[in-house]
Amino acid sequence: MLSRWRHIGKMLLVALLVMSCTSCARWREAKALVAEAESLLEEEKRITRDTAALNFAIETLNGPLGYLFAKQELAKAYYFMGRNFYYLNDFAKAADYYILCDRLNPTDPLYKGRINSCMGYLCKQDSCFEEALEFYERSSYAFKEAGDEWYYAHNLLNVAECHISLHKYYEADSLLTIAEAFDIDSAYYARMVETRGLYFFERQEYDSALTYLLSIENYPRPIEAKCYSYMMIMQIYVRQNNYDVA
């Protein structure tokens, strides 16, 4: 009888060891997937769109042990999943995952900035500019704390655009003056010029708006990125009764 219980005990121990090793392997794989997604984001300003892989990472890390030992990785996985649903045009699910990430209170200020910036964008798409402004201002503070010039500079333009939409032109002008000092790349400068054009367009200072908006043609941007500027240019010419050019 004693030998039988010893045999059962050994079998249980082996089973526990196998389960433990399997669990550890899943954890390593889940954390490696999050690290890979983060590497893609840092190197190329994009992320993996493998929703199934990220879902595996979330299911593996989402539990009591995950909250204790992998809280930051879980928060990042939520953020990346939110970005994936954004690319799938499922903005409601994207917002749900951003909120889950935010509730875990990521310690990395860069992720705090990204979450708030994404939420700001979703609010702006719904024309909720007051809410968008609040999120974008939070993200600016976080990006500044993180010391990431690329994100901080682009986010200044987001905040300026919200101020313009809310007709807070003094605030927008102050931010655009700060934004002009950043030397990021030609794509950023083109966006900054376009935002300045929007500023004058909304103030109905059409000659100044055209000066900025027409200069967009000088920058190497995809045609779809120039469409917004072209729409404003067309509207200006219509309002000036210059229909042939429009």
Side-chain angles (χ1 to χ4, degrees):
M1 178 65 73
L2 184 59
S3 61
R4 182 182 177 184
W5 281 110
R6 285 176 178 172
H7 178 71
I8 293 173
K10 287 180 181 179
M11 293 294 290
L12 288 172
L13 181 59
V14 169
L16 287 171
L17 286 172
V18 170
M19 290 175 64
S20 177
C21 290
T22 302
S23 178
C24 288
R26 284 176 60 88
W27 265 57
R28 286 195 297 270
E29 184 179 356
K31 294 177 80 170
L33 284 168
V34 174
E36 180 186 3
E38 186 171 28
S39 175
L40 288 171
L41 179 64
E42 295 300 332
E43 293 174 9
E44 304 176 32
K45 303 299 180 187
R46 66 180 179 85
I47 63 168
T48 178
R49 298 190 186 179
D50 191 341
T51 301
L54 286 172
N55 193 54
F56 163 81
I58 289 171
E59 289 180 349
T60 301
L61 301 176
N62 186 19
L65 290 177
Y67 279 80
L68 283 174
F69 302 110
K71 187 176 179 181
Q72 299 308 308
E73 286 86 352
L74 179 58
K76 292 174 183 179
Y78 281 139
Y79 167 74
F80 295 138
M81 187 67 93
R83 288 287 295 271
N84 278 356
F85 277 110
Y86 164 76
Y87 288 124
L88 294 171
N89 295 318
D90 193 337
F91 300 139
K93 281 190 178 178
D96 288 341
Y97 279 102
Y98 293 148
I99 291 169
L100 286 170
C101 177
D102 190 48
R103 285 176 179 170
L104 288 177
N105 192 27
T107 56
D108 187 340
L110 190 58
Y111 279 87
K112 290 182 180 179
R114 288 169 179 166
I115 297 162
N116 282 285
S117 180
C118 289
M119 288 298 292
Y121 179 81
L122 293 179
C123 290
K124 189 171 71 171
Q125 294 302 104
D126 285 337
S127 299
C128 300
F129 298 114
E130 289 282 4
E131 291 83 354
L133 179 61
E134 184 177 347
F135 282 116
Y136 279 138
E137 286 180 336
R138 289 179 191 170
S139 59
S140 282
Y141 179 81
F143 288 143
K144 189 172 184 179
E145 183 184 357
D148 192 301
E149 187 176 86
W150 191 93
Y151 278 108
Y152 179 66
H154 276 277
N155 201 70
L156 283 176
L157 299 180
N158 293 333
V159 179
E161 288 172 3
C162 286
H163 281 305
I164 293 169
S165 297
L166 294 167
H167 308 297
K168 297 179 179 180
Y169 298 119
Y170 176 80
E171 292 85 345
D173 181 57
S174 298
L175 287 169
L176 287 171
T177 301
I178 297 171
E180 288 168 0
F182 287 93
D183 184 18
I184 305 297
D185 51 37
S186 60
Y188 167 77
Y189 194 75
R191 188 187 166 207
M192 188 274 296
V193 169
E194 181 182 72
T195 307
R196 180 60 84 175
L198 172 66
Y199 167 82
F200 285 117
F201 176 84
E202 291 295 332
R203 293 187 56 147
Q204 300 183 17
E205 298 179 23
Y206 295 133
D207 289 338
S208 296
L210 282 174
T211 299
Y212 283 95
L213 295 173
L214 289 172
S215 70
I216 295 295
E217 198 64 33
N218 300 324
Y219 299 98
R221 301 183 79 199
I223 187 65
E224 60 272 14
K226 298 178 181 179
C227 286
Y228 186 53
S229 292
Y230 290 156
M231 291 290 290
M232 284 190 284
I233 292 168
M234 181 188 70
Q235 290 181 58
I236 290 171
Y237 284 132
V238 167
R239 294 177 187 184
Q240 293 177 337
N241 298 319
N242 197 344
Y243 299 109
D244 290 340
V245 179

